Amino acid sequence: MTTSSGIDAALVARVMAGDDRRATVELRVVGTASSALRGIATAANDVDVVFRERAGVDEWFGALAADGEVLHEPRWLAPSCQYFARVRVVGAVVELSTVEIDDDGDTNECFGRGPWTHFDVVVHGTTAIPVVATELRLITEIVRGRRDRIGPLVERLRRGPCDRALVRRGLTRAAIAPDDAARLLTALGETER
């Protein structure tokens, strides 16, 4: 499936395919690229990759920059608590970052325990790609109020599998209004208690 921007699962897999040097780095594909890898219909404009360590950003940046166009050298961005780099490679903008926010929760897509605890490995061709859980993507899009992205995520999770307890926890942590949370959980197939 190709999104309106041209970022599809095959392109994400090409970006993520790499040599053994990059295979040892702990990372997760997040954002709309993770949805594209799962075949969820949503517009993906770039490939976002979160790393546990800054050294991973540096290593991937070096490898990708050798074959691509450097848009943003790795550097610390204090306002967003990110070590961040951006490269254009194989026709895609790839954003590499850490998100260094102290949080012991597991319901955030890019920081805390969430991306490291709740993920799947999606295989595309011969490339195995660690991808953040769709439940975390849904929580992110709800918090951001992106209604156009919420629907396709709900539809995918409604068909299953879905960790409804994780979604419920995320909605509570994000202080989503109880009526809105109940409607969303009902849409996911959870009956009210």
Side-chain angles (χ1 to χ4, degrees):
M1 168 187 309
T2 302
T3 62
S4 61
S5 63
I7 303 277
D8 64 3
L11 183 57
V12 176
R14 281 184 61 204
V15 168
M16 297 306 296
D19 55 35
D20 292 336
R21 178 182 53 171
R22 291 188 279 162
T24 61
V25 174
E26 195 167 9
L27 60 85
R28 301 291 182 261
V29 173
V30 298
T32 54
S34 71
S35 294
L37 279 168
R38 293 177 187 277
I40 299 170
T42 189
N45 299 319
D46 56 16
V47 179
D48 294 311
V49 185
V50 169
F51 294 81
R52 193 181 285 268
E53 307 274 333
R54 291 182 188 186
V57 172
D58 291 336
E59 192 169 323
W60 270 68
F61 175 79
L64 293 175
D67 297 322
E69 173 190 0
V70 173
L71 302 174
H72 190 285
E73 297 260 347
R75 98 174 65 122
W76 176 248
L77 303 176
S80 58
C81 299
Q82 288 181 284
Y83 185 67
F84 178 85
R86 184 182 291 132
V87 179
R88 184 182 323 273
V89 64
V90 296
V93 172
V94 182
E95 295 186 345
L96 313 167
S97 70
T98 61
V99 181
E100 300 176 28
I101 297 172
D102 278 338
D103 187 294
D104 64 351
D106 70 339
T107 61
N108 293 300
E109 180 179 8
C110 296
F111 63 90
R113 292 180 297 128
W116 313 111
T117 303
H118 305 292
F119 71 97
D120 301 299
V121 175
V122 174
V123 177
H124 190 279
T126 59
T127 305
I129 306 163
V131 179
V132 72
T134 301
E135 292 86 344
L136 298 182
R137 288 282 314 122
L138 177 61
I139 294 164
T140 295
E141 298 301 6
I142 288 168
V143 168
R144 291 180 174 174
R146 294 177 170 169
R147 297 197 185 286
D148 61 320
R149 295 182 184 184
I150 294 170
L153 295 167
V154 167
E155 179 59 28
R156 169 54 62 92
L157 290 170
R158 190 175 59 74
R159 290 190 319 242
C162 177
D163 185 343
R164 288 169 181 81
L166 175 60
V167 174
R168 192 178 319 107
R169 235 177 15 262
L171 297 173
T172 299
R173 281 193 97 212
I176 300 302
D179 288 347
D180 293 339
R183 275 191 293 279
L184 178 74
L185 291 167
T186 298
L188 291 174
E190 180 176 281
T191 56
E192 292 207 31
R193 298 173 191 203

